[in-house]
Amino acid sequence: MADEDLPDSLEPAIHVPPRDEPPAPPTPKGDLRVVSIIALVTGVIVIAWYLFLVTASAIAHLENVAWIQIGMWVLALVSFVCGILSLNARMARELAAAGFIAGVAAGLLSISIGFFSGLELLS
């Protein structure tokens, strides 16, 4: 076969049929409403506790404050993890966004307020 029979590489490929495209990969369902609700509810509980902790001056009169604080750390961790998982939601995105915001707020409050108040309460 001579070089003259080959197509010119600079000419557009008019006679080449288009390739069949491979099927798109399956997308997961992404229904994380339960995770978003857990993040939202636990986040609201943690935020309400820290608002109470900051505004209440009679916190020393509560019994089992150390156990409540440890429980709030656990709830903040659950809320934060569920909030991060909510980022993968493909359905109910408004609820997932609310769960993410509540989870991050609970995590940040737990680090900023809860760490120092928890050290004070546990010592």
Side-chain angles (χ1 to χ4, degrees):
M1 180 178 217
D3 287 340
E4 293 85 27
D5 294 338
L6 294 175
D8 188 10
S9 62
L10 298 177
E11 290 181 11
I14 299 173
H15 304 336
V16 178
R19 289 189 222 167
D20 293 334
E21 292 189 24
T27 56
K29 296 277 185 193
D31 190 8
L32 298 174
R33 291 182 200 155
V34 174
V35 174
S36 300
I37 290 172
I38 291 171
L40 193 61
V41 169
T42 56
V44 166
I45 291 170
V46 170
I47 292 168
W49 167 253
Y50 287 125
L51 285 176
F52 171 74
L53 189 66
V54 169
T55 58
S57 61
I59 192 70
H61 298 294
L62 289 176
E63 295 179 13
N64 299 325
V65 175
W67 289 108
I68 295 172
Q69 183 61 44
I70 291 170
M72 287 301 132
W73 285 336
V74 170
L75 280 180
L77 182 66
V78 168
S79 180
F80 184 73
V81 169
C82 289
I84 295 298
L85 289 176
S86 295
L87 287 175
N88 294 326
R90 299 201 187 279
M91 299 173 64
R93 290 187 178 180
E94 292 84 9
L95 181 63
F100 173 71
I101 292 169
V104 169
L108 290 176
L109 277 175
S110 180
I111 290 170
S112 62
I113 297 173
F115 180 73
F116 297 111
S117 65
L119 288 177
E120 186 177 305
L121 292 173
L122 294 176
S123 61

